[in-house]
Amino acid sequence: MSAKLIDGKAVAAEVNAETAAKIKELASSGIVPGLAVVLVGDNPASQVYVGMKEKKCNELGIFSRKCVLPQDASMDELMTLIDELNADKRIHGILVQSPPPPQIDERKVIESISPEKDVDCFSYTNVGRILTGDLSGFLPCTPYGVQVLLEKYQVDLASGHTVIAGRSNIVGKPLAAMLMQKGKNANATVTVVHSATRNIEKYVADADVLIAAVGVPEFIKGEWIKPGATVIDVGINRINLPDGKRKLVGDVEFEVAAERAGLITPVPGGVGPMTIAMLMRNTLKSCMKHNHLL
Ligand code: NAP
């Protein structure tokens, strides 16, 4: 492997240490950030994600409220809970773990969360702010984590071509909006490729910075990567091995890509730990705003 590894675990630990230090400082004034995580139903993967968020809150000194509703919970029940959390002064961030069961209208739920507590940054208001170049509010956690990794490894976005594979509302689209803005750690010239793009390899081969968020195991072939490129793999895919074991792989064919890239994220240990770190940072920011400290 000739590429240097981007150590997401280490950068996330740095971000978390900064968050914890600030929380400690606030505690001396009796201020405690609070995050409510709402889980509807019993999806095992969602339970794991909710547990990870709760654990990180406890580690950093964030008050965490876990609200579990049954699989058959109605929209009314969920909206009543969101109203209660919107009014709860101990809570500065609210998120509803995705995907909810089919009877839940996820967009309606997101829009019912107060934009000041929308720490996932999914609401029209908060996404719209980013698109129009106002970066003073929340930034969506995974794209924010990618941007911080690029900053920490001093990747110059302005001088080359950035290609994002995937146009989802939680990763590809907001990330493209963030990286194309004027300013520090941005100013990128961005191309977004997706399932209707022909000859994706042509775009990938021209990418000085490639960000893969496709959700297809090893979709980006290592030989497509431009020599010396920076490769950020957002993908998290569980695959079955011939011996019956399961393995986590990204959206990039890591072994071959690592021979060509200049910098590359591993999976796991790349973007994954950054997402929760940025959620914690957003919750702290929200608490500071609610207390007129920002
Ligand atoms: P998503 O909502 O399924 O979106 C996938 C995107 O990839 C879509 O835009 C889709 O195109 C495109 N795509 C799918 N198959 C393609 C193909 N064969 N060729 C070209 N484009 C294709 O996924 P997501 O939520 O953005 O997540 C992407 C990956 O990142 C997943 O592996 C997910 O687990 C991972 N993830 C990781 C984190 C983290 O914290 N590290 C956070 C979020 C997501 P269309 O729009 O045309 O359908």
Side-chain angles (χ1 to χ4, degrees):
M1 177 171 124
S2 62
K4 184 175 165 193
L5 272 188
I6 293 180
D7 188 345
K9 264 195 203 164
V11 178
E14 256 179 65
V15 172
N16 285 330
E18 281 166 23
T19 303
K22 191 70 207 170
I23 289 171
K24 207 168 165 193
E25 209 181 299
L26 292 178
S28 58
S29 321
I31 296 170
V32 181
L35 176 68
V37 181
V38 180
L39 175 63
V40 187
D42 43 22
N43 179 319
S46 293
Q47 284 174 341
V48 170
Y49 287 128
V50 168
M52 284 162 68
K53 289 167 190 173
E54 209 181 4
K55 184 166 169 257
K56 195 52 77 183
C57 282
N58 293 336
E59 275 173 33
L60 303 188
I62 293 177
F63 165 65
S64 121
R65 185 172 163 194
K66 178 174 153 188
C67 308
V68 183
L69 293 181
Q71 180 75 18
D72 62 355
S74 67
M75 270 301 278
D76 280 353
E77 281 172 85
L78 181 52
M79 298 297 254
T80 303
L81 173 61
I82 302 284
D83 285 347
E84 189 211 310
L85 295 171
N86 278 335
D88 188 339
K89 292 208 168 0
R90 297 169 306 167
I91 297 297
H92 308 99
I94 303 170
L95 64 88
V96 178
Q97 187 62 45
S98 188
Q103 76 277 14
I104 299 298
D105 178 343
E106 198 171 8
R107 176 46 59 185
K108 202 166 170 195
V109 173
I110 289 168
E111 295 309 319
S112 73
I113 296 171
S114 157
E116 283 78 39
K117 296 191 178 186
D118 168 36
V119 283
D120 261 341
C121 191
F122 288 165
S123 66
Y124 292 140
T125 304
N126 288 325
V127 175
R129 244 187 216 139
I130 294 168
L131 202 60
T132 51
D134 174 358
L135 306 175
S136 65
F138 300 125
L139 296 172
C141 303
T142 302
Y144 192 9
V146 169
Q147 198 174 31
V148 170
L149 283 181
L150 292 170
E151 180 190 353
K152 292 277 178 189
Y153 281 82
Q154 298 175 342
V155 176
D156 178 16
L157 288 160
S159 65
H161 183 195
T162 295
V163 173
I164 299 174
R167 58 174 165 187
S168 73
N169 287 334
I170 65 162
V171 189
K173 274 190 226 162
L175 184 58
M178 285 161 64
L179 299 186
M180 74 165 76
Q181 297 300 330
K182 275 189 185 168
K184 218 173 126 241
N185 308 313
N187 268 332
T189 302
V190 182
T191 300
V192 180
V193 299
H194 44 73
S195 68
T197 307
R198 291 178 188 205
N199 298 325
I200 286 186
E201 58 270 37
K202 183 184 82 181
Y203 298 94
V204 172
D206 189 54
D208 301 291
V209 177
L210 171 75
I211 301 154
V214 176
V216 178
E218 300 181 329
F219 173 76
I220 306 277
K221 300 302 163 214
E223 64 195 26
W224 299 351
I225 304 291
K226 183 173 180 174
T230 296
V231 177
I232 307 284
D233 192 348
V234 180
I236 303 177
N237 310 289
R238 272 185 183 78
I239 59 163
N240 296 317
L241 296 174
D243 63 4
K245 289 189 181 142
R246 300 195 83 197
K247 185 186 170 197
L248 274 190
V249 297
D251 290 346
V252 177
E253 194 190 19
F254 180 84
E255 298 298 334
V256 188
E259 290 301 328
R260 295 172 69 89
L263 281 168
I264 191 166
T265 55
V267 176
V271 178
M274 293 301 293
T275 298
I276 291 192
M278 303 335 288
L279 174 67
M280 300 295 125
R281 183 186 269 186
N282 276 350
T283 305
L284 167 63
K285 182 175 188 173
S286 179
C287 170
M288 292 180 71
K289 283 198 167 184
H290 277 85
N291 285 283
H292 310 291
L293 298 168
L294 272 184

